[in-house]
Amino acid sequence: MALFSKLIAKLKRENSFAPADWAQLEKELLASDLGPTLTTNFLSAAKKVKSDNAEAALLEILSNNLALTSREPIVVPGTTTIMVVGVNGTGKTTSVAKLAALYKGSGKSVVLAAGDTFRAAAVEQLRTWADRIGVEVVCGKENGDPASVAFDGAKAAQASGADFLIIDTAGRLHNKNDLMAELAKVKRVVEKLSPINEVLLVIDATTGQNGLQQAKIFAESVEVSGVILAKLDGSAKGGIALAIESELGIAIKWVGTGESEGDIAPFDPNAYIKGLIS
Amino acid sequence: MLDLLTSHFNAVFTSLRLRGKISKGDIETSCEQIRQALLESDVALEVVESFVAQIAQRSIDALALIQPGSNQAKAVFEVVNSSLVEILGGSARRVRFSKNPPTVIMLAGLQGAGKTTLAGKLAKFFADQGNTPLLVASDLQRPNAVTQLQILGQSIGVAVFAPEAGNGVGDPVKVAQAGVEFAKAKQYNMVIVDTAGRLGIDVELMKQAGDIRDALSPDEILFVVDAMIGQDALRTSQAFLDGVGFDGVVLTKLDGDARGGAALSIASLTKRPIMFVSTGEKLGDFDIFHPDRMASRILGMGDVATLAEAAKAAFDGDTSAKLEAKFASGQDFTLEDFLDQLQAMSKMGSISKILGMLPGSGAMKKAIDSLDEGEIIATKSIVQSMTPIERRDPKVLNGSRRSRIALGAGRAVSDVNNLIDRFSAAQKMIKQVRNGATPAGIPGMAGMGMPAIAPKSAAMRPKKKSKSGNPAKRAQEQSQ
Ligand SMILES: Nc1nc2c(ncn2[C@@H]2O[C@H](COP(=O)(O)OP(=O)(O)O)[C@@H](O)[C@H]2O)c(=O)[nH]1
Ligand SMILES: [Mg+2]
């Protein structure tokens, strides 16, 4: 943002950013989906900055909102079990495929469980990915409920001694209590066999302030251990993820940057923060 | 949806109502609160600013014209309401049918917006009205999008034109074109073209969407957008407007609790009407967009009209006809009706969705959350232990009758008392709704407290056991 450089320049020589410039800055921060609260906090902190290294100081104000929890993907000895959750259409199935491709590529064995037994052709979608990537996928039987598919996946992973089990789940809106209960049940049932080590919530980068509510309720239901911020290849900056980090202390672990299996990367906090204001 | 905005508006108008005489300063304060609320609802800043400026000026103008002491808060409220309706599209527009069938509808939008599901919903909606739609599978990108559309089509008995299996193979422009030719030849009067999701900044794919448009000259291009979208709504809708152009907007996933401010942004930026809303995963969860209802909802008056329609659809013919007759004749709602209703409610699609449409649903959130399935069973058993006379006229329920009922239902007398209290509250509420008033005055509905009469988790989806593992079968079950 040219404006940001202007701000830095002004801050270096006695803060004389014009009111219109502050208004413009507010507009751009809001446009990143940072939300009114974080934006107001940032602006009031920024107004106090008087530093030779104003840029670093400003980035620091934003970085202070990052969660302090680890962003390292969880890996345990034996089978690491990952469950991928989120509202409809955020990119869960694609993210499952991306993670599978990533781990397979580093020489690990991966089993997928097609836990979306609800949406039409969701199972086939995951199966297509599994075939492309060359990993095993466990799909439900007729009348199979998602918990038993996931459980069967866990059994298969255990039997073959797989390094990773990744469970796809149906999209669900967080305000639907019975569907959230169903998700908690999937987790409970799998954990009769082996613990779920990582629950990744997929947040669509275009999501507005509702993303915070999504994260809050998913975290209450299934102990979310990290966020995948998908669709960061679009024009949206994904500012809501910073609010999730700051309010809920949940770390973004991965970002999705496209529709192919290779389009995933570990979250880079510095690049993300810079992206919010550029 | 729009809960927070609603509560902000409630706060604003409650404080205005208390004052009687409203000064310019009051209006400024209110506008500041409205500005904040709209921002929290994801309305784009430029839209917020112009909206707030507009209502400030209009409120001042409106107040100049009315007597001090008369209902000034109401006048301001009207200004806000009508300004919202204006931005949300004035009046709802219907799909334009082509003079030379088939009428071609093309869908466009970001990945994951809900286009494929919407294609199925549109097909069902128009087929139910006696049209003969053909679904065309031009999303050849996302794995098994074609299969998904085929399953949806099959479940509603609508033909799907899918010459390419997709999964990255095939030319969507050719498929779309062939689909329209096929429809002409086979005399379908409508074609609904599903397309792949694409980003506004993806030049190549936007060009492809433009190519599909040029090949089809659709009668309607609908931009499909997730109600949860944030500030990117502005950039993205502009990109689609420039890239393919669109004639109308469909808001999806409105059954969530997103405040949906994007609707305001998009309508105000693109000047295209929001035509439909998608409100659930079943193919029937679809409605025409009503700007006035949406505005009422924003303002905390709830969406009584939609509620009434949804309830009507959920009750079977008998129950609803009976209730309607009662409603019309002004008779009291009895425990017998209550029992019918409880039974019908267990059949209803989504209780929380329905309750969410009620006035002051924000205030009712807690009550809704406290509902559970055990309670509905207990309630049923209590009502079933009553004699028909008792059900019709709970006033006869003295102490000994109450203990007999408690014994019969295997519950405590306090449970019976509790039920009767809650029932009376419900009865009162229904009377108020019938009288057309939003209970407890517009728009603050606090204290209305919905009695706990409905199950927390009534079947929002078909019961697990009845759900088929076979996708085709399952889809069929879902659409029923
Ligand atoms: N551009 C882009 N599209 C994505 C990304 N992740 C997923 N998608 C697309 O979003 C749509 C929905 O993805 P899907 O995985 O089916 O979502 P799910 O319903 O959450 O399982 C598909 O069209 C995906 O190709 C991403 O990182 N970038
Ligand atoms: Mg999926």
Side-chain angles (χ1 to χ4, degrees):
Chain A
M1 166 189 335
L3 195 72
F4 192 62
S5 324
K6 188 171 166 190
L7 169 63
I8 291 161
K10 296 280 184 182
L11 289 173
K12 283 181 179 164
R13 299 170 252 120
E14 290 301 275
N15 199 343
S16 62
F17 213 47
D21 294 330
W22 285 113
Q24 182 63 22
L25 187 60
E26 178 190 21
K27 183 177 156 191
E28 303 209 8
L29 291 169
L30 286 170
S32 299
D33 288 316
L34 221 50
T37 311
L38 281 186
T39 298
T40 310
N41 293 348
F42 174 82
L43 290 175
S44 62
K47 281 176 185 165
K48 292 187 199 117
V49 168
K50 285 205 177 87
S51 157
D52 285 341
N53 195 349
E55 179 172 10
L58 291 174
L59 289 176
E60 167 125 10
I61 299 173
L62 281 177
S63 301
N64 282 339
N65 292 299
L66 291 170
L68 299 172
T69 38
S70 164
R71 327 190 163 270
E72 278 304 305
I74 297 171
V75 178
V76 299
T79 304
T80 299
T81 302
I82 302 170
M83 180 162 87
V84 177
V85 303
V87 301
N88 313 73
T90 51
K92 290 175 295 302
T93 305
T94 312
S95 298
V96 167
K98 289 173 179 177
L99 286 173
L102 190 88
Y103 289 127
K104 170 103 196 292
S106 62
K108 305 290 183 192
S109 56
V110 182
V111 172
L112 305 182
D116 183 354
T117 56
F118 184 72
R119 206 205 66 201
V123 172
E124 288 76 0
Q125 185 185 351
L126 190 66
R127 205 199 311 264
T128 301
W129 277 118
D131 291 348
R132 268 187 207 169
I133 299 163
V135 296
E136 185 188 341
V137 59
V138 175
C139 304
K141 305 186 197 71
E142 190 140 340
N143 295 323
D145 87 307
S148 63
V149 177
F151 185 82
D152 290 348
K155 268 201 303 209
Q158 210 169 52
S160 68
D163 298 310
F164 288 92
L165 165 68
I166 311 176
I167 304 168
D168 189 18
T169 62
R172 65 200 75 227
L173 291 171
H174 51 284
N175 60 336
K176 305 204 165 176
N177 294 339
D178 60 343
L179 298 186
M180 295 312 288
E182 178 193 83
L183 191 64
K185 182 184 154 200
V186 171
K187 182 162 186 279
R188 265 197 323 274
V189 169
V190 171
E191 292 194 326
K192 283 183 190 159
L193 200 63
S194 65
I196 291 187
N197 309 100
E198 178 114 279
V199 177
L200 294 173
L201 170 70
V202 182
I203 295 278
D204 184 326
T206 62
T207 311
Q209 300 307 299
N210 190 246
L212 190 57
Q213 193 65 11
Q214 291 172 23
K216 200 181 273 172
I217 304 203
F218 271 97
E220 280 166 11
S221 305
V222 287
E223 293 168 80
V224 172
S225 59
V227 164
I228 301 178
L229 188 56
K231 309 187 194 172
L232 212 50
D233 48 327
S235 48
K237 302 280 179 59
I240 191 60
L242 190 62
I244 293 173
E245 291 236 344
S246 124
E247 291 236 352
L248 305 174
I250 301 172
I252 312 169
K253 293 193 170 177
W254 302 99
V255 296
T257 55
E259 297 190 76
S260 307
E261 69 248 39
D263 296 331
I264 186 168
F267 175 70
D268 173 351
N270 293 325
Y272 170 76
I273 295 283
K274 282 200 173 142
L276 288 177
I277 47 178
S278 62
Chain B
M1 195 189 96
L2 296 162
D3 261 353
L4 194 84
L5 182 54
T6 299
S7 68
H8 271 267
F9 275 124
N10 279 349
V12 170
F13 290 110
T14 307
S15 79
L16 282 183
R17 270 201 313 275
L18 290 173
R19 298 182 102 97
K21 183 157 168 51
I22 297 168
S23 68
K24 274 194 186 180
D26 289 335
I27 291 179
E28 271 161 33
T29 315
S30 305
C31 284
E32 183 45 43
Q33 277 174 283
I34 290 170
R35 177 182 190 272
Q36 199 64 21
L38 292 171
L39 286 177
E40 280 164 19
S41 303
D42 297 319
V43 184
L45 185 65
E46 40 267 73
V47 177
V48 173
E49 312 259 77
S50 68
F51 179 75
V52 168
Q54 185 188 37
I55 57 171
Q57 190 51 51
R58 288 188 184 178
S59 299
I60 291 166
D61 295 348
L63 290 182
L65 297 175
I66 68 170
Q67 294 292 321
S70 61
N71 201 339
Q72 303 197 31
K74 188 157 178 271
V76 174
F77 176 81
E78 283 303 322
V79 166
V80 177
N81 186 42
S82 61
S83 305
L84 271 175
V85 172
E86 205 175 292
I87 295 188
L88 287 169
S91 62
R93 183 171 74 75
R94 300 285 179 264
V95 161
R96 289 176 296 234
F97 279 83
S98 168
K99 286 194 195 79
N100 316 306
T103 298
V104 178
I105 301 178
M106 170 181 169
L107 306 182
L110 291 173
Q111 291 95 341
K115 289 176 294 302
T116 307
T117 308
L118 179 81
K121 290 180 178 187
L122 279 170
K124 176 174 158 45
F125 177 78
F126 286 112
D128 286 351
Q129 296 180 354
N131 295 286
T132 50
L134 174 72
L135 284 163
V136 174
S138 272
D139 178 356
L140 304 178
Q141 201 52 46
R142 206 196 66 206
N144 296 87
V146 173
T147 326
Q148 186 186 350
L149 195 67
Q150 282 169 325
I151 293 169
L152 295 177
Q154 202 176 66
S155 73
I156 50 173
V158 166
V160 179
F161 183 79
E164 296 280 3
N167 299 344
V169 181
D171 178 352
V173 184
K174 284 192 185 133
V175 167
Q177 211 162 12
V180 173
E181 290 312 317
F182 181 83
K184 271 184 195 147
K186 303 280 175 187
Q187 315 234 308
Y188 289 93
N189 81 337
M190 193 166 225
V191 178
I192 299 165
V193 183
D194 185 26
T195 65
R198 62 201 78 227
L199 295 168
I201 55 169
D202 190 328
V203 179
E204 200 179 314
L205 285 182
M206 281 314 261
K207 184 182 171 300
Q208 181 197 71
D211 291 345
I212 298 178
R213 171 203 60 207
D214 292 344
L216 304 185
S217 318
D219 299 284
E220 298 274 6
I221 301 177
L222 300 181
F223 175 56
V224 183
V225 62
D226 188 323
M228 293 177 279
I229 194 172
Q231 301 278 335
D232 194 52
L234 218 52
R235 279 181 294 247
T236 292
S237 57
Q238 186 66 58
F240 274 83
L241 204 57
D242 297 342
V244 271
F246 53 84
D247 309 292
V249 179
V250 183
L251 273 182
T252 63
K253 308 180 200 170
L254 259 185
D255 49 326
D257 60 0
R259 296 159 208 158
L264 274 177
S265 301
I266 295 171
S268 130
L269 173 79
T270 69
K271 309 278 186 266
R272 300 294 189 276
I274 302 169
M275 295 174 69
F276 300 106
V277 296
S278 193
T279 56
E281 294 190 74
K282 281 181 278 143
L283 291 181
D285 296 333
F286 173 81
D287 200 0
I288 285 170
F289 178 75
H290 300 279
D292 47 340
R293 292 185 190 179
M294 184 83 165
S296 302
R297 192 166 167 154
I298 293 172
L299 295 174
M301 289 155 65
D303 189 351
V304 178
T306 305
L307 170 71
E309 278 171 20
K312 198 167 156 190
F315 287 86
D316 57 41
D318 263 11
T319 315
S320 72
K322 219 161 76 187
L323 275 179
E324 216 168 284
K326 285 211 153 191
F327 222 63
S329 69
Q331 279 179 56
D332 268 357
F333 175 75
T334 67
L335 271 164
E336 223 153 37
D337 303 324
F338 187 57
L339 187 62
D340 282 349
Q341 204 182 29
L342 281 181
Q343 254 134 15
M345 272 186 164
S346 350
K347 283 190 283 181
M348 259 194 219
S350 157
I351 287 299
S352 62
K353 184 175 95 195
I354 306 277
L355 291 182
M357 294 169 188
L358 273 174
S361 60
M364 288 197 291
K365 266 246 151 65
K366 272 207 191 97
I368 291 169
D369 285 344
S370 71
L371 306 178
D372 67 45
E373 199 126 22
E375 191 160 9
I376 194 168
I377 294 169
T379 304
K380 268 188 187 170
S381 67
I382 292 173
V383 179
Q384 275 156 349
S385 302
M386 294 178 182
T387 65
I389 294 172
E390 289 165 345
R391 288 182 204 167
R392 248 167 278 147
D393 186 12
K395 281 194 224 71
V396 305
L397 289 169
N398 57 19
S400 68
R401 282 177 186 262
R402 288 182 192 216
S403 21
R404 190 208 75 237
I405 292 164
L407 204 65
R411 318 291 307 183
V413 177
S414 62
D415 291 335
V416 178
N417 294 340
N418 208 352
L419 166 68
I420 293 164
D421 289 348
R422 284 188 282 117
F423 167 73
S424 314
Q427 200 175 31
K428 212 179 284 166
M429 180 186 88
I430 282 169
K431 264 189 203 156
Q432 281 168 311
V433 171
R434 173 166 50 209
N435 296 338
T438 42
I442 296 170
M445 301 283 305
M448 194 183 105
M450 178 69 184
I453 53 168
K456 181 184 207 163
S457 51
M460 290 176 28
R461 286 181 176 179
K463 279 268 178 284
K464 295 288 118 47
K465 284 193 198 75
S466 72
K467 204 161 82 191
S468 174
N470 174 318
K473 257 191 166 172
R474 191 172 60 230
Q476 205 147 15
E477 285 168 9
Q478 282 151 21
S479 72
Q480 283 161 3

